[in-house]
Structure formats: structure tokens, C-alpha cells
Amino acid sequence: MLPGVLYFLVFHYGALFGNLIAFKDYVPFIGVWDSPWVGMENFTSLLSDGDFWHAAWNTVSIAGLQLLFYFPAPLALALLLHSLAGDTLRRFVQSVVYLPHFISWVIVVALFQQVLGDIGVLNGVLGDMGLSAVDIIGNPDAYRPLVIAQVIWKECGWGTIIFLAALTNVNEQLYEAAAIDGAGWWRRFWHVTLPAIRPVVILLLILRLGDILTVGFEQFFLQRNAVGPAAGEVLDTFVYYTGIGSGDFGTATAAGLMKGAIGLVLVYSANKIAHRMGEQGVYKSS
């Protein structure tokens, strides 16, 4: 466990020290301690920035679409894989659907550009058929469905691991008893499968809510210029361009700190709701 513990201590807990920059006029040449304190000035500047609110709206809308379309996708795929009769076929399909997770976002975006770009495969086929070309990669209106499709293609298979583990713990005799009583596949799913895996679903949903404002950096950074900041700017890219691009490290850190605070509130609230539903959630309060 030592390598994993050191990773979190250095890059997660140790990095919390950098949140001091949110309350300072940070100058890299003189360091964190010697930079002057400015109190809540960075937060005031952030909240009065229209670009921040635009990036926040894009982030919330994309996160909502991810929650609606991506979150159920691994569960649906896990149910499909679990229903496969042959172990050999199941293992083969699992291996295939896991592979995109290990492909970097640079390669994934390049693949989608080769298929859906201006000179991609799709427009080549449409041209051969005498039809007009369609602009998907550079179309701001198609940007959100595109990034959701990319996430589903890349991460859906990897997300099935926990759901498959939960499904293996469901008592097969419950399915047999339900089938004998005349329950179809939908009733068996609703009354047997779903109650058995509900704690896992609620746990993952709570964790996803805590990370809802972090929709990703590489995926959006690589495609932001194609559709423009109006459609492609999210909080992660806003922090990058504000901090690294413009040198306003205090405002960028304030934005990141606000993301963390909102995520903490969402996790705490969702966990309380889970307790009221009779579930343990992420942690059990005393």
C-alpha cells in the first residue's frame, strides 16, 4: 500500500497547501509565504467575471448530461455482460470493452476527428453518395452530444467492473424463484437485481456528485479551439487559461477551491439523503 499512500499524501493532501494562493496576490518569484495577503479579493474578482459563470454553466450542463446518459451506461453494459451464457465469450467481450479506457484522450479525440471531421470517414462516405458534408467536430451545437459519446465509448467498459462484481453476489435462486412465479425479465430486474445492487449504485452516484464539477481537462482542452470558448470552455480549462495562460494564479486557485467546496456540500447532502433511504452511503454517521 505504501506507493499508493505516498501518491495521495504528496499529490492530493500535500497539494492542499497550495489553496493559500486563493487568498494571496501570488507572485511565483517570491513564493507563497512572501506573497501579500488579499483576503477574499480573488473570490470577488472571480464571481464578477462573466467568463467564469459561462464556464460554470457549460460545466453543469455537461455534467448533467453525463449523469443522465453516461452514469447508467456501465450498469446497462454490466447487465448485458452478466446475461451472456458462455464464460469464454463474456471474458472476451469484457477485454474488448475495457481497452478504450487505456487509450489516452489525445488518441480518442484524434480517432473521432478521423471519423467525424471535415475530411473524415463519414464525410467521405457522404461525398461518395452525392450528399453534402456535415460538420460535427467543429459544430458548437453538436459539441455536448459529441463529448458525452466520447466518454461513453472510452469509459463505459471500465465502469462495468464494480457493477459486475455486485451482480455476481446476487443469489441465482432468487432469479429461479421469480421465474417460477411468472416474473419476466423486467420484473426480475426490478425486484431482484436492482434491490441487490442498489447500495453500490447509490455509493457510486454520491461519489459522482462530489466530482460533478470536474468533467475532465484533456478531453475539453483538446477540442476547445475547434468549437470556440463559448461552447468548449469548462471550469477545468478556465482554471488553466486563467492561471497558466494569464498568470492570475490567485483567481484560478479560488475557482478550484470553490469547486472543491461545492463538491463537499454535494457529497454531504447526498449522503444524508442516502441515510434517510436506509442506505449506508459513503460513510455512516454516528
Side-chain angles (χ1 to χ4, degrees):
M1 291 177 59
L2 184 59
V5 171
L6 290 176
Y7 165 78
F8 281 100
L9 288 176
V10 174
F11 294 104
H12 288 265
Y13 291 99
L16 293 176
F17 168 75
N19 286 324
L20 287 175
I21 298 175
F23 306 96
K24 289 196 168 196
D25 183 13
Y26 176 63
V27 181
F29 303 104
I30 62 177
V32 176
W33 288 116
D34 295 330
S35 296
W37 291 91
V38 294
M40 303 297 292
E41 183 178 321
N42 289 324
F43 292 92
T44 303
S45 174
L46 179 69
L47 295 176
S48 61
D49 189 350
D51 292 336
F52 166 75
W53 289 110
H54 186 78
W57 167 248
N58 284 343
T59 302
V60 171
S61 59
I62 292 174
L65 291 174
Q66 287 183 350
L67 200 62
L68 183 63
F69 294 101
Y70 166 66
F71 184 79
L75 175 58
L77 181 58
L79 291 171
L80 177 62
L81 293 175
H82 186 67
S83 65
L84 295 178
D87 292 337
T88 302
L89 178 60
R90 184 187 299 118
R91 286 194 297 267
F92 173 75
V93 175
Q94 286 177 351
S95 300
V96 172
V97 298
Y98 289 170
L99 286 178
H101 171 77
F102 300 98
I103 302 176
S104 69
W105 273 114
V106 177
I107 304 299
V108 172
V109 172
L111 287 174
F112 272 80
Q113 288 176 342
Q114 291 296 322
V115 176
L116 303 177
D118 291 338
I119 56 175
V121 175
L122 176 61
N123 282 329
V125 173
L126 293 176
D128 294 338
M129 297 173 61
L131 302 175
S132 59
V134 294
D135 185 14
I136 298 178
I137 296 296
N139 185 0
D141 295 330
Y143 182 68
R144 292 175 186 175
L146 175 66
V147 295
I148 300 302
Q150 290 172 346
V151 171
I152 292 176
W153 182 82
K154 185 177 187 297
E155 301 293 348
C156 183
W158 184 256
T160 62
I161 294 177
I162 297 178
F163 289 118
L164 281 173
L167 288 171
T168 56
N169 292 324
V170 181
N171 192 343
E172 294 292 337
Q173 293 181 352
L174 296 177
Y175 290 116
E176 296 174 1
I180 293 174
D181 291 338
W185 70 268
W186 171 250
R187 288 192 174 274
R188 291 198 298 270
F189 167 75
W190 188 259
H191 295 289
V192 178
T193 305
L194 196 57
I197 66 175
R198 187 174 66 176
V200 175
V201 173
I202 292 177
L203 173 63
L204 294 179
L205 180 60
I206 293 173
L207 295 176
R208 181 70 191 98
L209 286 175
D211 206 32
I212 197 169
L213 295 182
T214 305
V215 292
F217 172 74
E218 295 90 348
Q219 179 189 13
F220 297 92
F221 177 76
L222 293 168
Q223 301 177 95
R224 177 180 178 272
N225 292 335
V227 295
E233 189 82 290
V234 294
L235 286 177
D236 291 324
T237 57
F238 173 83
V239 169
Y240 171 81
Y241 283 105
T242 302
I244 304 300
S246 302
D248 191 355
F249 298 100
T251 303
T253 306
L257 189 58
M258 287 185 62
K259 281 177 50 183
I262 294 173
L264 175 63
V265 172
L266 288 175
V267 168
Y268 180 79
S269 302
N271 203 66
K272 283 294 185 181
I273 295 174
H275 290 167
R276 293 183 180 274
M277 295 173 60
E279 302 294 339
Q280 181 173 348
V282 178
Y283 60 89
K284 191 70 175 179
S285 59
S286 56

